[in-house]
């Protein structure tokens, strides 16, 4: 099979969706973060060349991978059954739950899902966080017209600060990162028990090399160093 952009098998072109710190975000115009470092380390240890990163909407990542525009998704993407019907995932590299993030400057402090009744709630389009919001609509906790979808989580967090939404549902480590830098706080956690994996095409045999590299990165302490660098 050909690499992304019709390139060679020796190059792995990674794709992501920034605005998801500390996994992937831009700093001085540069794409940085835990996923960026981990993916680059895994690709090069597996013996491939790291192609130029593509930064696109989260919901475009899987189509882009299957259209050969990119070869690997590194985007804090949760391994789900539905996605596994479309793409393959590497071994899991990070565990996460969802959190309900609210403004710390308003007195809306929900303690459980039922407290969200009547609230305006947002999430990024195509994410598992959006899936939780949809579940709350189905369960009758939220009204469908009170749901807001965002192309990226930075815009969602801004809307939360501005009071345009009452809460957003986002992965815990990202919520904590927003809470460190903005006037927002985690109200409560939804225990979804998600595992992140890198996505690759189902017919791309290079996934085995990436898995071997990930195992090595974990065994030799490089993984822990990256965790310390980006999460502590
Ligand atoms: N873990 C969630 C999911 O897989 C959210 C990922 C969002 N990632 C991003 N880079 N914006 O749906």
């Amino acid at each position: 099979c050909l690499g992304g952009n019709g390139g060679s098998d020796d190059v792995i072109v990674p794709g992501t969706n920034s605005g998801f710190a500390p996994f992937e975000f831009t700093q001085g115009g540069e794409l940085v973060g835990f996923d960026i470092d981990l993916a680059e380390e895994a690709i090069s240890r597996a013996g491939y060349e790291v192609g130029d990163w593509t930064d696109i909407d989260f919901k475009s990542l899987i189509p882009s991978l299957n259209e050969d525009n990119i070869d690997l998704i590194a985007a804090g993407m949760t391994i789900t059954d539905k996605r596994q019907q479309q793409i393959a995932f590497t071994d899991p590299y990070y565990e996460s739950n969802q959190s309900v993030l609210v403004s710390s400057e308003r007195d809306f402090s929900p303690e459980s899902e039922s407290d969200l009744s009547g609230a305006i709630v947002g999430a990024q389009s195509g994410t598992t966080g959006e899936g939780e919001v949809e579940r709350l609509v189905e369960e009758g906790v939220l009204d469908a017209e009170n749901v807001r979808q965002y192309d990226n989580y930075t815009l969602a967090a801004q809307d939360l600060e501005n009071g345009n939404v009452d809460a957003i549902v986002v992965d815990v480590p990202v919520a904590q990162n927003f809470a460190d830098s903005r006037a927002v706080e985690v109200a409560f956690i939804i225990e979804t028990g998600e595992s992140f994996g890198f996505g690759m095409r189902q017919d791309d045999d290079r996934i085995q090399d990436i898995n071997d590299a990930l195992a090595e990165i974990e065994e030799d302490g490089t993984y822990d160093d990256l965790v310390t660098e980006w999460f502590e």
Side-chain angles (χ1 to χ4, degrees):
C1 75
L2 289 177
N5 303 319
S8 88
D9 258 3
D10 302 337
V11 182
I12 291 187
V13 177
T16 192
N17 168 251
S18 63
F20 200 65
F23 294 94
E24 42 265 345
F25 57 107
T26 52
Q27 204 166 55
E30 285 245 349
L31 195 56
V32 295
F34 179 78
D35 277 341
I36 309 304
D37 284 354
L38 183 65
E40 290 190 354
E41 184 73 24
I43 292 169
S44 30
R45 281 216 207 185
Y48 302 102
E49 196 185 310
V50 182
D52 289 334
W53 282 88
T54 303
D55 186 7
I56 53 177
D57 280 353
F58 187 76
K59 59 178 184 291
S60 303
L61 287 166
I62 289 178
S64 188
L65 178 68
N66 281 331
E67 282 159 19
D68 280 3
N69 294 323
I70 56 174
D71 299 310
L72 180 139
I73 299 171
M77 187 176 275
T78 304
I79 302 171
T80 66
D81 291 344
K82 199 174 155 200
R83 289 173 180 156
Q84 271 176 320
Q85 289 167 15
Q86 300 171 275
I87 61 170
F89 282 97
T90 62
D91 293 332
Y93 67 84
Y94 202 88
E95 310 293 317
S96 176
N97 290 303
Q98 294 295 312
S99 73
V100 174
L101 194 66
V102 298
S103 163
S104 42
E105 286 170 353
R106 294 166 58 229
D107 44 316
F108 179 57
S109 317
E111 283 169 15
S112 66
E113 293 183 356
S114 55
D115 291 343
L116 291 174
S117 173
I120 299 176
V121 180
Q124 184 177 30
S125 297
T127 61
T128 51
E130 181 185 51
E132 291 304 303
V133 173
E134 283 165 2
R135 175 179 62 77
L136 291 170
V137 170
E138 275 158 33
E139 291 176 5
V141 175
L142 299 177
D143 295 330
E145 65 267 27
N146 285 344
V147 170
R148 301 285 178 274
Q149 292 169 313
Y150 294 91
D151 279 337
N152 73 63
Y153 266 125
T154 308
L155 295 175
Q158 266 163 27
D159 253 13
L160 189 57
E161 278 190 320
N162 298 336
N164 295 328
V165 278
D166 298 316
I168 62 174
V169 180
V170 59
D171 302 64
V172 171
V174 177
Q176 280 160 350
N177 194 276
F178 280 132
D180 289 343
S181 54
R182 294 169 177 265
V184 296
E185 64 193 23
V186 174
F188 65 92
I189 294 194
I190 306 175
E191 304 273 349
T192 49
E194 298 171 54
S195 300
F196 296 172
F198 295 140
M200 294 182 75
R201 280 181 298 280
Q202 287 177 337
D203 65 355
D204 192 339
D205 298 336
R206 298 177 294 181
I207 196 165
Q208 194 46 58
D209 300 324
I210 298 293
N211 277 331
D212 291 346
L214 283 172
E216 196 182 293
I217 287 167
E218 193 158 338
E219 272 156 33
D220 75 0
T222 307
Y223 181 90
D224 288 340
D225 291 345
L226 289 177
V227 168
T228 306
E229 179 176 350
W230 293 107
F231 294 92
E232 286 155 31

